[in-house]
Amino acid sequence: MAEHELKTWPEYFQAIKRGDKTFELRRNDRDFQVGDILRLSEWEPTTGTYSGSELLVRVTHLMVGGVFGLEPGFVALSITATSPALELAERGLRQMRAEMDADEASRADQ
């Protein structure tokens, strides 16, 4: 699971923020995977500046290009909103589970 920082034009950024847009179409140049976190930064293309607004979303599904009219080399990402606190908590839980699994495996080997 990776975190990707992406520029997002204002109209699309605001639609995601409102919950109206639940997908991203992107060039698949980052090996996107289900579970990845996208840090979307609102970017004004006409001025070449960031607004300072950011959103965190998690990739819940992906469709790789080459099917259903999606160009090869692109990907359709289904996304859901998340938060830094939630991400931190989930990372902690994953780490705890991994440590518990390793401890259990170690006991089983004895």
Side-chain angles (χ1 to χ4, degrees), residues 20-55:
D20 297 336
K21 182 175 181 275
T22 58
F23 67 93
E24 275 290 288
L25 298 176
R26 295 285 176 156
R27 185 175 304 279
N28 195 11
D29 58 356
R30 299 169 186 245
D31 190 33
F32 293 107
Q33 299 294 316
V34 170
D36 284 357
I37 300 300
L38 309 182
R39 182 177 299 275
L40 305 177
S41 298
E42 189 175 30
W43 168 261
E44 178 51 62
T46 57
T47 62
T49 59
Y50 290 99
S51 72
S53 295
E54 287 188 338
L55 295 171

Side-chain angles (χ1 to χ4, degrees), residues 17 40 52 61 66 78 94 99 106:
K17 186 175 179 179
L40 305 177
H61 183 268
S78 297
R94 282 191 299 275
E99 289 170 1
S106 174

Side-chain angles (χ1 to χ4, degrees), residues 7-19:
K7 296 175 183 172
T8 306
W9 291 10
E11 68 181 284
Y12 305 114
F13 183 91
Q14 293 302 321
I16 293 167
K17 186 175 179 179
R18 287 190 310 270

Side-chain angles (χ1 to χ4, degrees), residues 57-106:
V57 298
R58 178 190 307 271
V59 176
T60 58
H61 183 268
L62 62 87
M63 183 175 72
V64 177
V67 296
F68 301 113
L70 185 60
E71 295 275 334
F74 284 80
V75 65
L77 306 167
S78 297
I79 57 174
T80 188
T82 191
S83 71
L86 179 60
E87 287 307 311
L88 184 59
E90 288 182 355
R91 283 185 199 144
L93 285 173
R94 282 191 299 275
Q95 182 177 353
M96 285 175 47
R97 285 186 191 123
E99 289 170 1
M100 289 172 61
D101 289 346
D103 188 47
E104 188 175 306
S106 174

